[in-house]
Amino acid sequence: MDNNEKRMVYTQFIDGALTAGSNRESWINYNPADNTPLGEVYQAKDEDIEAAVNSSEKAFHIWRNKTGAERGRVLLKTAEILRYRLEQIALLETQDVGKPISESLAVDVSSAADALEYFGGMAATIHGDYVDLKNAFGYTRPEPLGVCAGIGAWNYPIQIAAWKAAPALACGNAMIFKPSELTPATALELAKAFMEAGAPPGLFNVVQGDGRVGAMLTGHPRIAKISLTGSVPTGKKILAGAANQLKKVTLELGGKSPLIVFEDADIPNAVSAAMLANFYTQGEVCSNGTRVFVQQQILDAFLVQLKERTEKIRIGDPADPDTQMGALISKAHLEKVSRFIDSGKASGATLLTGGIRPEKDFKGRDITSGNFLTPAIFTNCDDSMEICREEIFGPVLSILSFDSEEEVIARANNTEFGLSAGVFTNDIKRGHRVIHQLQAGTCWINNYNITPIELPFGGYKQSGLGRENSLAAIQHYTQLKSVYVELGNVESPY
Ligand code: TXE
């Protein structure tokens, strides 16, 4: 088969089926592992957005009149279908993102199914309150918003789509989802699974495209809410674009999070966490602990173990089950991360290891055609360095030493971000005392980046608005009506 025959076509999924739509503008989607073309992606145009909104409104009117239990059953069935198709969808995700297949199997598709199961199970329990009043009573109704839009980033495509769709649909809404222009594939698999599970056509529509399509969704008067996972600059554009309609917005944005290791920490565990917090998914994770603060007393011992274990990470073909680190999402992103490596060196930090483009992978295969970068560790860093202030979104770990608890808390908080934070210590009082003072929304003590669906995920400060997952998500996909019921007469002075 020549390349053309193997090429996918990524189109819209509107009203229950793939549709070529306007089909006027397209671009090529590349496999980060070797930059070969995977297929052609078609940019949605105005008429496609209108078709998606019309279809979603139709589905919403059917869906909102179902009971929570009926809605829950469709979400649970969708989760079952994803788990049944785990291998197939995981491979699509790995080809799109460049992440190791072991990650796509263990995390991406599974956590999408987890979200659908969690909110599918909760759908029947979403209810209001009843209040006894004087010769009257009151009750509240958590009502759906209508048609909601989800806009995704490229690092966890199907997880992001499901973390938005599951609560949205459980609360009775319909959703139009736009995946990142770099990863068009698996949102379409989620859309197919919803249909097979019995969702009304249009309940979960997918439109493809870049920021222009995201802006069209943001400005559309019949879309009630926008939920973004993406960068801080994009979050600000969406909030501005939603302002004139006072549209509801939730934002899951970037970070430059601290991971603090105290002198009494279990060093092997702390090193494991630092590696997970910087090199998992090639470091392309928003909540990563990229500023690793290590108390002076254990700095040398920590660095010896961190360097030795980091240099053993198996980089290579993401489709190989033995691979532990794959390719960065694009050539452009690889260039951007490489510029941060140069910046770190130019600013006087020491590149302890990594930060180079390997020619061979751990099995000796030529990987020069892919976007590979060996995991980098900088030491002798200063808080003011660009690599310690800006989100790099790549495998670049900055080590910062500290002496006292008060000092490290102040330094950890000295950022406009506030997504996550981690603390390693065996002193239970210190662990909670410190984590309570860190200005971050998603925190860990003696672990990092574990995000069970039962806990809220989201940021303080410029890392976002609102929360995903847990019961907290329900308030972002419902609007609360209060009803007062008179059992007597109207007492009137007139
Ligand atoms: O973001 P971009 P990317 C963050 C991560 C990093 C970024 C990387 O920290 O900063 O995401 O992902 C669409 N109006 N998170 O490069 O460029 C765009 O098409 C409307 C945080 O994809 O911001 C894409 O679909 N939409 C996260 C999406 O926004 C617009 C976890 C994101 O694109 C738009 C993962 C516009 N004007 C990554 N411009 C978390 N906190 O959970 C672009 N888009």
Side-chain angles (χ1 to χ4, degrees):
M1 294 221 287
D2 71 38
N3 248 347
N4 278 324
E5 285 171 32
K6 277 189 288 189
R7 276 193 186 177
M8 301 272 291
V9 174
Y10 307 94
T11 61
Q12 326 309 322
F13 190 100
I14 296 174
D15 216 30
L18 288 165
T19 162
S22 57
N23 224 350
R24 284 201 298 272
E25 179 185 346
S26 71
W27 65 93
I28 298 300
N29 180 36
Y30 292 97
N31 183 335
D34 55 13
N35 286 297
T36 53
L38 289 168
E40 206 154 5
V41 195
Y42 282 90
Q43 174 97 348
K45 298 296 180 188
D46 290 316
E47 56 265 40
D48 301 317
I49 303 300
E50 277 314 299
V53 171
N54 293 338
S55 152
S56 288
E57 281 183 337
K58 188 160 51 74
F60 169 62
H61 290 300
I62 297 166
W63 189 245
R64 73 165 310 170
N65 291 320
K66 289 185 180 295
T67 64
E70 290 171 324
R71 295 199 281 260
R73 274 195 286 276
V74 171
L75 268 61
L76 291 171
K77 181 69 181 162
T78 305
E80 191 185 325
I81 292 167
L82 290 189
R83 293 198 194 282
Y84 179 73
R85 292 216 180 110
L86 183 70
E87 285 78 12
Q88 177 218 339
I89 298 173
L91 181 57
L92 282 174
E93 201 75 302
T94 280
Q95 289 171 337
D96 240 5
V97 181
K99 65 173 66 183
I101 189 69
S102 58
E103 292 185 14
S104 298
L105 288 166
V107 173
D108 297 65
V109 184
S110 303
S111 66
D114 290 349
L116 289 159
E117 281 166 359
Y118 178 82
F119 288 104
M122 183 192 296
T125 69
I126 298 171
H127 57 73
D129 297 317
Y130 167 89
V131 181
D132 254 336
L133 299 167
K134 186 164 175 283
N135 217 9
F137 67 90
Y139 63 93
T140 61
R141 288 170 47 87
E143 296 183 345
L145 302 171
V147 177
C148 302
I151 300 174
W154 44 257
N155 59 343
Y156 282 83
I158 195 165
Q159 178 195 80
I160 291 170
W163 281 16
K164 296 178 189 304
L169 273 53
C171 294
N173 302 288
M175 177 162 274
I176 299 171
F177 185 77
K178 187 200 81 65
S180 167
E181 52 274 33
L182 298 174
T183 53
T186 51
L188 297 172
E189 296 307 310
L190 179 59
K192 291 175 198 167
F194 274 126
M195 285 311 296
E196 288 168 44
L203 188 70
F204 182 78
N205 285 324
V206 175
V207 293
Q208 305 284 6
D210 56 20
R212 290 172 291 163
V213 175
M216 284 197 271
L217 295 171
T218 303
H220 199 290
R222 287 152 51 205
I223 290 179
K225 179 209 166 69
I226 306 290
S227 174
L228 165 78
T229 295
S231 62
V232 171
T234 301
K236 292 178 177 176
K237 289 176 190 166
I238 285 179
L239 199 54
N244 70 334
Q245 296 167 35
L246 288 180
K247 193 169 297 208
K248 290 153 186 63
V249 174
T250 44
L251 302 171
E252 292 287 350
L253 305 178
K256 191 68 182 182
S257 302
L259 169 53
I260 301 171
V261 184
F262 282 96
E263 43 74 34
D264 72 327
D266 174 301
I267 295 182
N269 274 334
V271 169
S272 296
M275 293 172 74
L276 285 167
N278 283 276
F279 306 136
Y280 199 75
T281 313
Q282 301 75 240
E284 297 162 325
V285 181
C286 55
S287 51
N288 272 356
T290 49
R291 292 183 291 149
V292 180
F293 290 90
V294 182
Q295 201 154 24
Q296 192 58 50
Q297 299 90 311
I298 60 162
L299 181 59
D300 292 344
F302 185 89
L303 284 178
V304 165
Q305 292 186 38
L306 177 64
K307 180 176 185 292
E308 183 186 344
R309 290 174 59 183
T310 297
E311 288 174 346
K312 288 180 182 164
I313 290 176
R314 298 193 296 272
I315 301 175
D317 178 2
D320 183 331
D322 297 331
T323 295
Q324 294 172 322
M325 190 168 158
L328 275 68
I329 186 73
S330 66
K331 282 183 182 173
H333 190 60
L334 174 61
E335 293 303 329
K336 176 183 168 188
V337 175
S338 299
R339 278 195 301 276
F340 275 107
I341 302 282
D342 296 341
S343 162
K345 288 188 278 191
S347 62
T350 303
L351 184 56
L352 185 65
T353 185
I356 61 166
R357 300 188 188 183
E359 295 185 355
K360 304 276 188 204
D361 79 351
F362 68 100
K363 286 186 178 170
R365 293 170 292 208
D366 182 314
I367 51 172
T368 49
S369 61
N371 314 318
F372 293 91
L373 189 70
T374 56
I377 300 170
F378 276 108
T379 57
N380 299 320
C381 297
D382 179 276
D383 294 12
S384 62
M385 291 176 178
E386 185 186 43
I387 57 168
C388 297
R389 301 205 62 75
E390 300 300 322
E391 178 182 56
I392 299 171
F393 221 57
V396 182
L397 185 162
S398 295
I399 293 281
L400 295 148
S401 63
F402 72 93
D403 294 313
S404 76
E405 178 178 316
E406 293 67 29
E407 169 209 340
V408 73
I409 289 170
R411 291 171 59 191
N413 285 333
N414 179 24
T415 168
E416 65 191 19
F417 295 109
L419 183 51
S420 306
V423 172
F424 269 80
T425 178
N426 284 313
D427 175 340
I428 188 168
K429 286 186 232 171
R430 172 159 64 184
H432 294 287
R433 184 175 63 239
V434 172
I435 213 83
H436 294 174
Q437 297 175 76
L438 294 176
Q439 297 160 5
T442 307
C443 301
W444 296 274
I445 297 176
N446 292 337
N447 212 321
Y448 203 87
N449 264 353
I450 308 296
T451 57
I453 195 71
E454 296 89 341
L455 283 177
F457 185 87
Y460 282 17
K461 302 196 277 188
Q462 297 201 28
S463 287
L465 287 175
R467 290 292 179 271
E468 293 199 321
N469 303 348
S470 84
L471 282 168
I474 299 303
Q475 63 181 300
H476 299 300
Y477 286 105
T478 53
Q479 47 194 342
L480 199 57
K481 178 175 287 175
S482 70
V483 182
Y484 175 99
V485 182
E486 179 56 61
L487 298 177
N489 297 313
V490 175
E491 290 179 15
S492 166
Y494 307 113

